[in-house]
Amino acid sequence: MNRLCFFNKVVKVARGDSPPFDLASLPPKEQRDLIGETLFFMVEELEPQFAPKITGMILELDQDKVLHLLVTPKAFKEMVKEAMEVLAHSFLQQMKIARGKRC
Amino acid sequence: MAMVSGRRSTLNPDAPLFIPAAVRQVEDFSPEWWQLVTTSTWYPDYWISQQQQGADGFYDNGENENGGGHIDVADLLPESFDFDDMEDFFDTDAAEFDQGFDGRMYYQAPSEFGFGKNGEMVKKSSGNRSPRSIVEPAKYAEKPAKWGNQRVAAAPRNIHQPR
């Protein structure tokens, strides 16, 4: 219920409806936190294990792009998939670094 | 920016984790905490990493101590001292018993050569024992953490580079 409430609010804001509250009137940090909460639950459904990491990565993008992802399931799924690829690549790089240190 | 299959991505793999506010407020070992541990796939790993961050300071200090020449010394000392320690411990008990039993025995101790030697050994063992008692718990505490880290570090290497 809490999740749906958050999501509806963000959707209304993104689609230009007149919601009970105005996202733009909130301080930047609160905006980010609110979007992050909604984004987190959506990411958790696709990638439960890496939800905190992927959410953090997506939140670093432009806010307009993030809001777009929230209301565009196809783009959102592609972004999550891309995040997983970036993470996998980063992990391989770290392994190479660790290997180099060991040698 | 990370390169993925030649494609430039705007995603940052080093971005900090985003933890929902409700989860951050959960108190350790509370009913909500247990529910998270048993139902969430990412929370147990996150919680453990938080504990390790807290422990890292202690482990780093330990590592620094062991990292120096102390490793060899620490490995050698316990073996050589265990026998002496037991002997001294026995003598200590005997000395205490004698003191409690008869004051004269204690008074005569300095004059007797053998007992005097034992007395000195007792002092030495006491001096040596206290530092060891402090060191040993730390050593035991460090081992599991170190082993855990080694296992974590070893697993990826084994997967990446079978030998």
Side-chain angles (χ1 to χ4, degrees), chain A residues 32-33 36-37 40 44 48-53 55-61 79 82-83 85-87 89-92 94-95 98-99 102, chain B residues 2-5 7-24 40-42 45-46 154 156-157 159-161 163:
Chain A
R32 185 178 189 276
D33 287 346
E37 298 284 336
F40 180 88
E44 194 177 23
Q49 185 69 40
F50 298 95
K53 188 65 174 178
T55 304
M57 291 166 70
I58 295 179
L59 280 178
E60 289 196 348
L61 305 175
M79 182 60 69
E82 181 179 342
E85 291 175 358
V86 171
L87 273 180
H89 186 257
S90 171
F91 181 67
L92 289 177
Q94 290 176 12
M95 285 173 58
R99 176 182 171 186
R102 182 168 180 175
Chain B
M3 301 294 293
V4 181
S5 304
R7 175 179 61 178
R8 183 177 298 273
S9 172
T10 55
L11 292 167
N12 174 22
D14 296 322
L17 302 179
F18 179 89
I19 308 297
V23 174
R24 276 186 266 112
S40 174
T41 58
W42 59 269
D45 293 336
Y46 161 76
R157 289 204 186 96
I159 295 172
H160 184 67
Q161 184 182 13
R163 295 177 181 179

Side-chain angles (χ1 to χ4, degrees), chain A residues 65-99:
Chain A
K65 187 177 182 65
V66 177
L67 289 175
H68 170 71
L69 294 175
L70 291 180
V71 300
T72 312
K74 183 177 180 182
F76 172 73
K77 290 177 182 177
E78 289 180 358
M79 182 60 69
V80 171
K81 182 180 178 183
E82 181 179 342
M84 287 299 293
E85 291 175 358
V86 171
L87 273 180
H89 186 257
S90 171
F91 181 67
L92 289 177
Q93 294 285 58
Q94 290 176 12
M95 285 173 58
K96 291 180 181 177
I97 294 174
R99 176 182 171 186

Side-chain angles (χ1 to χ4, degrees), chain B residues 21-37 43 47 51:
Chain B
V23 174
R24 276 186 266 112
Q25 295 165 6
V26 169
E27 185 177 351
D28 288 349
F29 309 111
S30 64
E32 295 80 11
W33 178 87
W34 182 246
Q35 187 177 3
L36 276 170
V37 168
Y43 185 77
W47 189 84
Q51 309 311 308

